[in-house]
Amino acid sequence: MKRFQLWLTVSLLTKFETGSGVSLKQSSRAPQMNNHQNISTLLDNLLRGYDNSVRPDFGGPPAVVEVDIMVRSMGPISEVDMTYSMDCYFRQSWVDRRLAFPGDTNDTLALSISMLARIWKPDTYFYNGKQSYLHTITTPNKFVRLYQDGRVLYSSRLTIKAGCPMNLEDFPMDIQRCPLKFGSFGYTAQDVLYRWNTARQVAIAEDMKLSQFDLIATPAANHTDTIVNSDTKSAEYSMLLVSFHLQRHMGNFLIQVYGPCVLLVVLSWVSFWLNREATADRVSLGITTVLTMTFLGLEARTDLPKVPYPTALDFFVFLSFSFIFATIIQFAVVHYFTKYGSGECYFSSDFSSDSSSDEEDWIESKEKAPKDVSHSPVCKGSNYDSSNGGDPHFIEVIPLSACSIPVASMRRTSQPWSNLSCINRSQDEKNYHTSPNKSTGSQKSPCQIQRHRKKKKKRTPRFNSVSKIDRASRVVFPLLFVTINLFYWYSYLSRTKRIQNLNVS
């Protein structure tokens, strides 16, 4: 009997717990099912009789569309195509009172993107757009939110490629203003008005960086366009305009163009320190720098469109090319005014035995040959021992005007420089030579006696002719180049307001 009562009590408790658990689960699911049913019912009621081809407040005041943009990244920016691209979140918001629903003012419904096909939305297009698209990976990147007062928020992620008319007169110190203009494609200003969101107009991501530019400003404004339709009736369309002010980086151009141009100009000035007799060296140096400068000038314009006006970079390349070309013209002038005897001839002593023997042979051959009073070579150095104390390293300096250099005969006979006549025989020295009736071996000239006393030496001329034009060019060319550069950089930097921007920053 007691066992039966105990079993009955346990079975009753088990049934009670099971019944209460089922009732709790049903009570927790009921509100959720009711919410889903309520939202579905609410949307069905809102869209019942809704015509998505009619704008909000049709027949009344124009619908106001508020827009704001969040720019995630920009680039590439092409000067050749004059376009720029950017990745942004494009948000549009408007009020459609047909979609208002009762409830708290903070109530928000996050709807599926399939609802976009069932409600009205503005036909926004980009006026200067070239090629834009919506991101669709992994799903179409857009969403719709519905507020209690009927406000609709429509956001989408777009990549916009728009045209940017560039003025490249100040390139590469330019500041470009790339606009983005958009509005309604079909609705006039009487139906739809576009306005910037007062809380946030154009926002820029903090981690956004550009490779060639700095984004220094993004001014935004409202704009109204007046367009003449095909029926000769003008209509006003509401537009929004934002300009992206881009300041170009100059580091790449300083390394690739400006630096090499300056070095080439300085390299061309090396010819001012070369002797004017070094014609081949100076001409080859000038031609090499001109060709290199031409290559740099052509390479600098490969990434630029074929604009009909010169840029700041073109002016600098042309300036450098002009200085290099002027260096060649300067040498041509120096070479034209160079005459034999206009410089100095240095004769150095050489104690080699071969040179002495060669010179002795030359003297003996000259003694046996018929003597010409006006052209026979002698050595001006009868007081050589007394004037320099017998210093064997003494170097005589004789003007080139006193040297008769038989260039034509040297080319035919290939005789050495020791055969040159340094100075014509003076009238006093003629007395030392023997008469034609006497034996040539009985008497010797003072020059020959002096050579037999000392070791025989070979005297070779060394030219070191520096023109006065070269001396002046060493100072004039650098000063003129520095002055023009200072004027060039100050004018362009102040013109593009880069100096003011540096002071503000």
Side-chain angles (χ1 to χ4, degrees):
M1 188 66 180
K2 291 180 179 182
R3 292 181 178 177
F4 177 75
Q5 292 178 354
L6 181 60
W7 176 80
L8 182 61
T9 303
V10 171
S11 61
L12 290 175
L13 290 174
T14 304
K15 290 181 179 180
F16 177 77
E17 290 177 357
T18 304
S20 62
V22 172
S23 62
L24 289 175
K25 292 180 181 179
Q26 291 177 355
S27 62
S28 62
R29 290 179 180 177
Q32 185 176 1
M33 295 177 62
N34 292 335
N35 289 336
H36 289 174
Q37 292 176 359
N38 293 337
I39 293 174
S40 300
T41 304
L42 176 63
L43 293 177
D44 291 340
N45 293 333
L46 292 177
L47 297 177
R48 184 178 295 116
Y50 185 92
D51 189 359
N52 59 359
S53 61
V54 180
R55 70 170 180 85
D57 298 331
F58 180 77
V64 178
V65 179
E66 295 183 352
V67 180
D68 64 274
I69 300 175
M70 175 66 177
V71 180
R72 292 292 306 169
S73 63
M74 292 190 70
I77 301 172
S78 174
E79 291 85 2
V80 178
D81 300 331
M82 290 193 177
T83 58
Y84 73 98
S85 301
M86 69 175 184
D87 181 13
C88 66
Y89 299 133
F90 190 76
R91 304 187 184 100
Q92 304 176 83
S93 177
W94 65 92
V95 176
D96 191 349
R97 301 190 184 279
R98 294 173 295 179
L99 299 178
F101 58 91
D104 192 1
T105 56
N106 295 327
D107 290 345
T108 304
L109 296 178
L111 305 179
S112 172
I113 58 176
S114 60
M115 286 292 295
L116 288 173
R118 304 178 63 182
I119 63 175
W120 179 89
K121 56 184 179 293
D123 55 344
T124 306
Y125 84 108
F126 295 100
Y127 181 81
N128 60 329
K130 294 292 185 68
Q131 184 179 1
S132 305
Y133 60 90
L134 172 73
H135 289 252
T136 57
I137 304 297
T138 57
T139 58
N141 298 169
K142 53 185 178 180
F143 68 85
V144 182
R145 289 178 183 173
L146 180 62
Y147 294 88
Q148 184 267 339
D149 59 348
R151 178 170 293 276
V152 180
L153 175 62
Y154 171 39
S155 178
S156 57
R157 184 186 177 189
L158 305 175
T159 293
I160 303 172
K161 183 179 181 180
C164 179
M166 298 182 182
N167 184 7
L168 300 174
E169 290 182 356
D170 300 330
F171 177 88
M173 292 170 279
D174 54 337
I175 297 177
Q176 300 298 334
R177 296 165 178 83
C178 296
L180 181 64
K181 186 178 179 181
F182 55 90
S184 176
F185 186 79
Y187 293 103
T188 63
Q190 298 178 353
D191 296 323
V192 176
L193 291 177
Y194 281 83
R195 294 289 183 267
W196 287 107
N197 192 335
T198 56
R200 51 183 184 182
Q201 296 182 355
V202 179
I204 306 297
E206 296 180 356
D207 58 345
M208 190 187 76
K209 292 183 180 180
L210 299 175
S211 59
Q212 299 182 12
F213 295 88
D214 282 331
L215 184 60
I216 58 177
T218 56
N222 299 327
H223 186 69
T224 301
D225 275 354
T226 301
I227 301 177
V228 179
N229 297 326
S230 58
D231 55 356
T232 67
K233 292 182 179 180
S234 60
E236 294 184 350
Y237 290 85
S238 178
M239 296 282 183
L240 291 182
L241 179 66
V242 55
S243 294
F244 298 96
H245 292 192
L246 302 171
Q247 180 175 283
R248 193 183 305 274
H249 293 160
M250 290 187 59
N252 177 62
F253 299 95
L254 289 175
I255 297 173
Q256 297 290 336
V257 182
Y258 285 99
C261 287
V262 173
L263 293 179
L264 283 174
V265 173
V266 175
L267 180 62
S268 66
W269 297 340
V270 175
S271 62
F272 300 151
W273 276 263
L274 298 178
N275 298 334
R276 53 181 166 181
E277 289 81 8
T279 305
D281 298 337
R282 297 183 68 165
V283 170
S284 61
L285 179 61
I287 293 177
T288 302
T289 51
V290 165
L291 294 178
T292 308
M293 195 68 238
T294 304
F295 171 76
L296 278 179
L298 296 176
E299 186 68 18
R301 292 192 62 88
T302 53
D303 297 333
L304 292 179
K306 297 180 180 179
V307 292
Y309 50 83
T311 64
L313 187 64
D314 294 335
F315 277 120
F316 190 85
V317 172
F318 180 76
L319 173 66
S320 303
F321 187 88
S322 300
F323 268 86
I324 295 175
F325 186 76
T327 303
I328 301 178
I329 300 300
Q330 184 267 355
F331 172 66
V333 174
V334 171
H335 188 72
Y336 177 78
F337 288 104
T338 297
K339 300 288 191 286
Y340 283 111
S342 59
E344 293 177 344
C345 178
Y346 288 81
F347 288 86
S348 60
S349 299
D350 189 359
F351 295 99
S352 61
S353 60
D354 296 336
S355 301
S356 300
S357 61
D358 293 339
E359 189 172 359
E360 185 179 8
D361 297 338
W362 174 75
I363 294 173
E364 292 177 356
S365 63
K366 285 296 181 180
E367 289 176 354
K368 296 179 181 179
K371 293 181 171 52
D372 188 356
V373 175
S374 60
H375 296 287
S376 58
V378 299
C379 185
K380 183 182 179 182
S382 59
N383 58 348
Y384 178 81
D385 294 332
S386 61
S387 61
N388 55 26
D391 186 4
H393 298 283
F394 178 77
I395 299 177
E396 290 189 51
V397 178
I398 302 173
L400 282 177
S401 58
C403 297
S404 58
I405 305 176
V407 179
S409 61
M410 287 176 60
R411 291 179 180 175
R412 291 193 300 267
T413 60
S414 301
Q415 54 185 346
W417 280 101
S418 59
N419 297 351
L420 300 180
S421 175
C422 299
I423 185 168
N424 289 335
R425 186 187 305 269
S426 64
Q427 187 67 25
D428 296 338
E429 291 169 345
K430 294 180 182 179
N431 301 327
Y432 289 104
H433 289 273
T434 60
S435 62
N437 299 328
K438 298 180 182 180
S439 176
T440 57
S442 60
Q443 294 184 4
K444 293 184 179 180
S445 65
C447 183
Q448 294 174 353
I449 296 172
Q450 211 171 34
R451 290 180 184 276
H452 285 290
R453 289 179 186 174
K454 292 185 167 291
K455 291 185 177 180
K456 300 181 177 65
K457 305 167 188 176
K458 182 179 180 181
R459 308 176 70 199
T460 57
R462 296 178 184 175
F463 294 94
N464 186 11
S465 178
V466 180
S467 173
K468 294 181 180 179
I469 302 177
D470 284 338
R471 290 194 180 98
S473 300
R474 295 174 186 177
V475 179
V476 173
F477 272 71
L479 285 179
L480 185 61
F481 186 71
V482 171
T483 303
I484 296 178
N485 266 271
L486 290 176
F487 176 76
Y488 170 86
W489 288 103
Y490 180 78
S491 60
Y492 275 104
L493 291 178
S494 59
R495 179 180 176 180
T496 57
K497 298 181 180 180
R498 283 178 176 259
I499 298 178
Q500 293 87 335
N501 295 337
L502 290 176
N503 295 333
V504 172
S505 59

